[in-house]
Amino acid sequence: MGAESDPHPLERLILQVLNWTPFKILLEVFGGISVLPLFHQLAFAVFALLVGGYGVYGFYRVYLWIAAGRPASENRFNNPLERISQALLSSLTQERTFRGRPIISLLHSFIMYGFAYYLLVNVIDGLEGYFKFGISSDTALGAAYNFLADLLSFGVLLGVIALILRRFAAPAKKDFNFNERTLLHPAVKAGKIPTDSLMVSSFILFHVGMRILGQGFKLLEEGGDPLQPLTSGVAALLQILGATPETARGGRIFAYWGALGSIIVFLSYFPRTKHIHLFMAPVNYALARTANSGTLPPLELNLEAEEP
């Protein structure tokens, strides 16, 4: 029997690359089984580019509307660190909203804190769709992340449901009615605000609900987690309904599209809703006037140009 022929140079190069230690590490981290199969990865990427691009265009239009205004007569960009820290403090503590309506503000804070944390949660969940990536509760940092995600998900659902009941089931007359002499936009007169609130509330319930569902399928597939009581309960319910660890992957794919897809769709709607204040409020805090509200801004007058 003759000796085996030497491998082709290209084959040797491929073998050397595959046996290269850094490449093995990359394969271990990113080359495993992700949530999404290849077709879904490509389809979701195209979907995100198209719909997300429309959302970016919407925010660009908002920028154009703001830029069309008269330039400020005061410097709004001085002391950037102080301005940013004050904006973060006002946004995260919700100090201004808690002054007048403590109970309603508490419900709003559940939603605000939940969605602030969901900025991180959505990034982590998005990476799980494309890479062998995930955060378990085996470490202190991972345990804190999963516990807060579970707790704040419940807080968001509680806050949204309570505010829906407040607006539509037991509305307070002074909160949702306008004085007859108040000049209103035609869309407001036509009932746009309740419609907008219903759309935003429905999105939040759907987005957070799909994330909880996906996490429930994940725990069903990989094992329970006592630090995630809400999603562990969902996993137990799914098992009662007939789901198994073998079929959980399909549920995770469905929930991935629902949770991450809905946030991309909502971002394209966001520039067209009154709830854009969730993004704009921190910006307004950062660029606010340093003088008190009773002080008029300085005016630049050209007396020569005013003369007849």
Side-chain angles (χ1 to χ4, degrees), residues 200-260:
V200 173
S201 300
S202 299
F203 153 75
I204 295 175
L205 292 176
F206 181 80
H207 172 64
V208 176
M210 292 301 289
R211 200 273 168 178
I212 294 173
L213 179 64
Q215 195 70 4
F217 276 116
K218 179 181 179 180
L219 294 183
L220 179 61
E221 182 180 24
E222 300 178 356
D225 183 355
L227 292 175
Q228 302 181 67
L230 176 60
T231 47
S232 293
V234 172
L237 178 61
L238 291 172
Q239 195 166 21
I240 293 174
L241 295 175
T244 64
E246 292 73 23
T247 61
R249 180 52 57 98
R252 292 184 67 183
I253 295 173
F254 172 76
Y256 185 99
W257 274 93
L260 277 299

Side-chain angles (χ1 to χ4, degrees), residues 51 55 59 115 196 199-201 203-204 207 260-273 275-276 278-279:
V51 180
F59 281 102
F115 261 78
D196 180 68
M199 291 180 63
V200 173
S201 300
F203 153 75
I204 295 175
H207 172 64
L260 277 299
S262 63
I263 193 68
I264 295 174
V265 171
F266 186 67
L267 287 177
S268 68
Y269 172 71
F270 221 68
R272 299 160 179 84
T273 170
H275 292 84
I276 195 175
L278 293 173
F279 285 146

Side-chain angles (χ1 to χ4, degrees), residues 83-149:
R83 286 179 173 275
I84 292 173
S85 61
Q86 183 60 39
L88 290 175
L89 180 64
S90 298
S91 300
L92 294 177
T93 60
Q94 298 283 285
E95 58 178 357
R96 302 189 183 189
T97 58
F98 271 105
R99 293 172 186 170
R101 304 180 304 170
I103 297 178
I104 302 303
S105 297
L106 179 63
L107 297 173
H108 274 106
S109 70
F110 290 162
I111 302 171
M112 190 281 296
Y113 290 129
F115 261 78
Y117 194 72
Y118 259 57
L119 294 175
L120 173 63
V121 170
N122 285 326
V123 170
I124 299 298
D125 290 349
L127 291 175
E128 287 187 354
Y130 287 83
F131 307 110
K132 182 187 176 183
F133 181 83
I135 297 181
S136 68
S137 298
D138 294 336
T139 63
L141 190 60
Y145 166 81
N146 286 323
F147 176 73
L148 284 175

